Amino acid sequence: MARNFGELVLVLGDLHIPHRASGIPEKFQALLKAAQHVQHVICTGNLVSRDEYDELRALAPTVHVVKGDFDENANFPDQKVIQIGGFKIGIFHGHQVVPWGDVNALAQVQRQLDCDILITGHTHVNEVTEYEGKWFINPGSITGSYSATTTQVTPSFMLLAIQGSSACIYVYELKDDEVEVSKSEFSKSA
């Protein structure tokens, strides 16, 4: 089954457990337990505790985490670049750019990291944006924890399926106790 989707990557962040949220919503927990074919987890930070990191390690053989502004584990890097399929993926939390989530500020980081896909967090709002032939992805907050700019956050995470130079991203949102899924597809320019 996983071969049909290519390499599967769970993308999440901004858990803020236990300070701002008690845990991942039950409906998301059920989906994560069923995600048997995920090969990678990418977390944009703000796990806060070591326990959450250990839970991520149980989901996939490879876990990539960058340090958020509230993480207690000082061993996570501030940024990281990895290769999955035909894509070079840059990861960083996002509190380092101002204004937060600004496409021009993110484009500057993307150029510095020389990546095809830039995955960030911090805003707690999910977003998939194409800009100048590159992709900026923010999984939002999987717990729906409040942010510096809003208390009304929709819990969300993403599943990225990569086959060579093509990718499909599924955005999972918890709205009115129902999981809604949307899909975007993109290919790497030659």
Side-chain angles (χ1 to χ4, degrees), residues 11 74 82 123 131:
V11 183
I82 60 174
T123 65
Y131 183 75

Side-chain angles (χ1 to χ4, degrees), residues 27-110:
K27 289 198 174 185
F28 281 177
Q29 286 182 25
L31 289 170
L32 295 178
K33 286 178 184 171
Q36 302 169 9
H37 300 290
V38 171
Q39 290 99 348
H40 308 272
V41 174
I42 293 176
C43 179
T44 62
N46 282 343
L47 293 167
V48 181
S49 74
R50 178 73 185 189
D51 293 340
E52 299 313 313
Y53 176 71
D54 292 340
E55 287 191 30
L56 293 182
R57 290 182 58 207
L59 295 174
T62 307
V63 177
H64 305 280
V65 179
V66 292
K67 185 175 181 176
D69 51 338
F70 284 90
D71 280 318
E72 295 169 358
N73 186 342
N75 295 325
F76 296 140
D78 288 330
Q79 61 190 28
K80 188 172 191 176
V81 179
I82 60 174
Q83 183 81 32
I84 299 178
F87 292 94
K88 196 172 176 184
I89 301 172
I91 313 159
F92 85 115
H93 180 63
H95 68 280
Q96 305 95 323
V97 299
V98 177
W100 298 329
D102 177 75
V103 70
N104 292 311
L106 294 174
Q108 184 176 2
V109 173
Q110 175 274 317

